[in-house]
Amino acid sequence: MSVSNQSDFLTSFSDDDNDIDDAINASPVHEISYEGTLSKWTNYLHGWQSRFLTLQDGTLSYYKSKFDTGYGCRGSVSVAKASIEVHEFDNCRFDVNVGDCVYYLRADEPTEKQNWVEILESAKQAESGYGSEPHLPKAVSTLSLSSQPSLRSSSSFQKSAGLREKLMEMETFRDILCRQTDTLQTYFDSCADGNAGNNSTQKLDLEEEDEDIDDMAATPTPSSFIRGGSTTTANPSHAIDFRGEAITFKATTAGVIQVLSHCIDLMTKREEQWKRKLEREQEKIRKLKEQLKDKPSIDMADNQFSGPDFMEGPNMKLNEEQFFDAVDTALDVEDENDDDLDNIDKENIPPPKPTSEIMSAPKHKYSKMLETKVKENLVLIQEQVEAENTEWYNVYEDGDLKVYRKDVEIEGLVCDPLKASHIIHGVSGHEMCHYFFDKDVRLDWEVTVEKVKMIEKLSENTAIFQQIHKRIWPSAQRDTCFISHIRQLGKEDNVERMDKEVERPWTVQNISMEHEKVPNDKFVRAVANVVMLCQTYTIGDVKKKKYTRENIACKLTYMAQVNPGGWAPASAIRQVAKREYPKFLRKFSSYVQTVTADKPLML
């Protein structure tokens, strides 16, 4: 680089520095401030929550609301060290990432999101002291990068230089040995072609040759060592420097042995290094396998699954197998935490009400709709599942408990109807339906429900409920709103009677609906239509209608069709349903048998 070019380069570098200073002075970090309300991802239990955010002095802080700014922030990050990433699919979302801390933020409008992103980028550049991209001294950066050697390649060369150098020496020794072998072969050929008859002359020549060899051995030349120096001439009568060649050959072979020994040492050390590295990797694999045995397949506290993108949704990053494994693991935990039926306070659980109180229900505003749905559901629940050309097929069978399913998808969502039948000994159909309808005992046997709330009581046998289900990661938390109705059926309901039936069948029907007191804004609203039909019959011969718990049983027929709402993998929904329905029926049946064991039989 010439002197003038160097001067121009330094001048331009100085100008770039001035531009950077001007950019910083034009927008100092303490003058960049912004505030507003955004939705922030909190956790898997509460999801997105409204939070008030402020940007001041290069720090992004958030509060529960604008009125809480005087009580201290809930969290803050330095913008200078943050990376601001716009979401790939959601036009209103962006993430602020600082190391292991990530703020998942979402605006109401794309323009509001863009304003936040731009102001955060400006604050980041001002805080870091580099200003905007056009002011960066690119010439200096390019020069420094091109002039610096690669540290990684240099390190690799130093590690392998010893072995490569010795291999080059081996090549040199190989060439020397080849030339020396040729020289010795020439000597042997000359000896074979010599005149054996002239002993005196031969002896004299050999003595002179020995003197010459002694003189040459006393003063060896470097060139003869390097080139395998030969004194061979075109005349074969002249002797070859055999001793010199022997000394040179011996020195060359000693050098070869030394180099080979050094190469072996290097390769042995390298082999030991690789062995130690392999042992460390094998130890890591062993420990990971042990951890996998002790942990669930999906660790909910793991940072790998810590963001909303792993939440249930069409852009969810978990595949179907991981989704099902996570749900299955969470359900296993629920099973472990489930209280034993022996701990239930059976004395404080009231018996069913007399049939007359239940049947004397006044009319209400949903009566017409309810009667229509009840009749439709009674037709569906009596549909034969084992007839020819039926769409039902068996998915579970264990003794008297059988579960059938019909594959139905509505707008890509799995809404499979399921029908189950079960025999419960020692209880009546009235008792089964009563405890299924009674909200006060529902949490004793329904392990997947978090809260049951009565929205409106329409009569003694009809009410509207909201049921909030437990959050099972990675699925979203769901609720249902339904009208629940219990009654004993009459002849006009056209239900097929059983042999030895004791009384008319009982039914409980839960029919999904919307209600003004239950807005659909906090949870994912699921639609669930449930029908339970219970028929009481006798076991063996019963004289004078003396029914006891030992000689009666209840045939329970249960049908449910659930639209889960939102989005979830079809295979996961079907696998969970196949697992949960039999477990629910057994749990509920055992519960009724337990709480009625010491009570009079209610028909």
Side-chain angles (χ1 to χ4, degrees):
M1 183 183 290
S2 63
V3 176
S4 59
N5 290 336
Q6 292 179 6
S7 176
D8 294 340
F9 174 75
L10 294 174
T11 303
S12 64
F13 180 61
S14 177
D15 292 340
D16 286 332
D17 281 344
N18 294 333
D19 291 340
I20 295 173
D21 294 337
D22 293 341
I24 297 175
N25 294 331
S27 58
V29 65
H30 63 271
E31 292 185 4
I32 299 179
S33 61
Y34 200 69
E35 63 181 28
T37 301
L38 296 171
S39 294
K40 181 180 180 296
W41 174 262
T42 53
N43 51 50
Y44 286 112
L45 183 62
H46 299 98
W48 295 97
Q49 296 290 325
S50 178
R51 294 290 183 262
F52 183 75
L53 285 90
T54 63
L55 175 63
Q56 190 70 36
D57 297 332
T59 301
L60 181 66
S61 307
Y62 75 92
Y63 307 82
K64 188 173 182 180
S65 66
K66 188 175 182 179
F67 304 101
D68 294 341
T69 54
Y71 301 102
C73 67
R74 293 198 164 199
S76 62
V77 292
S78 173
V79 176
K81 300 178 181 179
S83 63
I84 295 90
E85 301 175 359
V86 177
H87 196 262
E88 182 179 1
F89 303 106
D90 194 338
N91 294 329
C92 296
R93 182 182 144 193
F94 64 98
D95 303 338
V96 180
N97 191 341
V98 183
D100 295 334
C101 178
V102 184
Y103 286 0
Y104 303 102
L105 304 173
R106 196 176 189 279
D108 292 334
E109 299 291 338
T111 54
E112 184 183 1
K113 177 212 69 174
Q114 189 62 30
N115 291 339
W116 272 101
V117 171
E118 290 177 357
I119 199 70
L120 287 172
E121 289 288 357
S122 300
K124 178 181 177 180
Q125 293 170 0
E127 176 74 7
S128 62
Y130 287 107
S132 58
E133 185 178 355
H135 297 293
L136 291 174
K138 295 182 180 179
V140 177
S141 177
T142 305
L143 180 64
S144 62
L145 287 175
S146 61
S147 62
Q148 293 294 329
S150 171
L151 295 178
R152 183 176 179 179
S153 61
S154 175
S155 176
S156 300
F157 174 78
Q158 290 176 0
K159 288 181 179 179
S160 59
L163 183 60
R164 185 180 298 112
E165 182 179 312
K166 295 303 176 182
L167 291 175
M168 293 174 64
E169 290 183 12
M170 290 289 294
E171 289 289 332
T172 302
F173 280 123
R174 184 184 67 84
D175 294 340
I176 294 173
L177 284 174
C178 289
R179 288 195 294 269
Q180 289 175 346
T181 302
D182 292 340
T183 303
L184 290 173
Q185 186 63 44
T186 303
Y187 169 76
F188 295 138
D189 292 342
S190 299
C191 291
D193 294 340
N195 187 2
N198 193 354
N199 293 331
S200 59
T201 305
Q202 217 172 27
K203 182 177 181 181
L204 180 61
D205 291 340
L206 288 175
E207 290 176 355
E208 293 176 356
E209 180 182 347
D210 289 339
E211 292 177 1
D212 293 339
I213 290 174
D214 292 338
D215 294 339
M216 293 180 66
T219 58
T221 60
S223 60
S224 66
F225 177 79
I226 295 176
R227 296 180 293 103
S230 174
T231 57
T232 306
T233 62
N235 189 355
S237 61
H238 292 282
I240 299 175
D241 184 7
F242 179 74
R243 179 175 292 182
E245 292 294 338
I247 294 173
T248 304
F249 187 83
K250 182 178 180 180
T252 304
T253 53
V256 170
I257 293 173
Q258 184 179 3
V259 172
L260 283 174
S261 176
H262 189 73
C263 288
I264 291 172
D265 291 340
L266 287 176
M267 287 187 288
T268 302
K269 291 179 181 178
R270 191 70 55 83
E271 183 182 9
E272 292 297 327
Q273 291 175 357
W274 282 108
K275 281 184 178 179
R276 288 194 295 270
K277 187 174 181 179
L278 177 62
E279 290 174 357
R280 289 195 296 268
E281 294 298 326
Q282 289 175 338
E283 181 65 18
K284 289 180 182 179
I285 293 173
R286 186 187 63 79
K287 290 181 179 180
L288 287 173
K289 287 182 178 180
E290 291 179 354
Q291 292 175 1
L292 287 175
K293 291 180 181 178
D294 299 334
K295 286 188 175 183
S297 56
I298 298 293
D299 189 353
M300 292 179 282
D302 197 338
N303 290 331
Q304 183 183 3
F305 302 104
S306 60
D309 288 329
F310 292 96
M311 180 97 168
E312 173 189 325
N315 300 318
M316 183 180 63
K317 293 184 178 180
L318 292 179
N319 57 41
E320 292 193 5
E321 183 178 355
Q322 289 174 325
F323 186 96
F324 173 69
D325 288 343
V327 172
D328 200 42
T329 300
L331 292 174
D332 287 338
V333 173
E334 290 292 335
D335 292 342
E336 293 175 1
N337 296 333
D338 185 21
D339 293 332
D340 198 316
L341 292 176
D342 295 335
N343 298 327
I344 297 175
D345 187 3
K346 295 180 287 185
E347 295 182 359
N348 293 327
I349 298 177
K353 296 180 180 180
T355 306
S356 58
E357 295 185 21
I358 298 177
M359 294 300 294
S360 59
K363 298 292 183 180
H364 50 79
K365 57 183 176 180
Y366 299 107
S367 295
K368 187 176 180 180
M369 178 273 291
L370 185 60
E371 285 300 317
T372 302
K373 288 291 186 181
V374 167
K375 292 184 182 299
E376 291 177 358
N377 290 335
L378 289 176
V379 173
L380 292 174
I381 201 170
Q382 294 184 81
E383 181 181 344
Q384 295 298 319
V385 294
E386 296 180 350
E388 294 183 1
N389 300 323
T390 182
E391 296 179 353
W392 295 91
Y393 59 95
N394 185 277
V395 295
Y396 181 89
E397 183 172 358
D398 183 13
D400 294 329
L401 178 57
K402 298 179 181 179
V403 180
Y404 297 83
R405 184 178 75 203
K406 183 191 296 184
D407 291 342
V408 175
E409 291 191 19
I410 301 175
E411 296 180 355
L413 295 178
V414 174
C415 306
D416 297 342
L418 285 100
K419 184 181 291 188
S421 61
H422 189 30
I423 302 298
I424 305 100
H425 294 271
V427 297
S428 66
H430 184 187
E431 292 169 330
M432 292 294 294
C433 287
H434 165 75
Y435 290 110
F436 187 76
F437 175 80
D438 189 356
K439 82 172 187 65
D440 294 330
V441 299
R442 191 167 301 173
L443 297 183
D444 292 339
W445 54 266
E446 179 60 276
V447 296
T448 62
V449 174
E450 183 178 287
K451 184 179 181 181
V452 180
K453 181 180 180 182
M454 181 182 289
I455 305 301
E456 185 178 355
K457 184 176 181 179
L458 302 173
S459 65
E460 288 297 325
N461 67 341
T462 307
I464 298 176
F465 298 100
Q466 181 194 22
Q467 197 162 261
I468 300 173
H469 297 265
K470 291 181 180 178
R471 172 77 165 80
I472 303 296
W473 186 86
S475 64
Q477 191 168 19
R478 286 168 163 77
D479 75 334
T480 53
C481 179
F482 57 90
I483 182 171
S484 184
H485 175 72
I486 177 175
R487 79 177 186 204
Q488 189 176 26
L489 300 173
K491 294 181 179 181
E492 68 278 3
D493 293 309
N494 298 321
V495 176
E496 184 179 352
R497 294 181 65 88
M498 295 181 62
D499 293 336
K500 298 184 179 181
E501 193 172 54
V502 175
E503 59 178 353
R504 299 296 303 178
W506 283 79
T507 184
V508 176
Q509 301 197 14
N510 298 335
I511 302 167
S512 280
M513 60 176 296
E514 296 297 329
H515 197 278
E516 61 273 9
K517 293 184 180 180
V518 189
N520 184 11
D521 57 355
K522 190 174 182 180
F523 307 102
V524 176
R525 177 60 52 82
V527 177
N529 294 310
V530 175
V531 184
M532 177 182 285
L533 180 66
C534 296
Q535 298 169 280
T536 308
Y537 66 98
T538 60
I539 301 174
D541 295 330
V542 179
K543 296 179 180 180
K544 297 181 181 181
K545 295 185 179 181
K546 292 183 178 180
Y547 304 116
T548 64
R549 298 200 179 276
E550 288 74 23
N551 59 25
I552 68 162
C554 173
K555 179 185 179 183
L556 181 148
T557 307
Y558 180 89
M559 189 178 74
Q561 183 170 15
V562 179
N563 184 331
W567 179 92
S571 61
I573 292 177
R574 288 185 170 126
Q575 288 292 332
V576 171
K578 181 179 178 180
R579 161 191 165 141
E580 291 302 304
Y581 274 89
K583 186 173 68 177
F584 146 70
L585 290 172
R586 291 195 182 282
K587 173 80 173 180
F588 175 63
S589 301
S590 299
Y591 171 82
V592 177
Q593 287 175 323
T594 301
V595 299
T596 60
D598 301 328
K599 291 183 173 64
L601 179 64
M602 180 65 71
L603 295 175

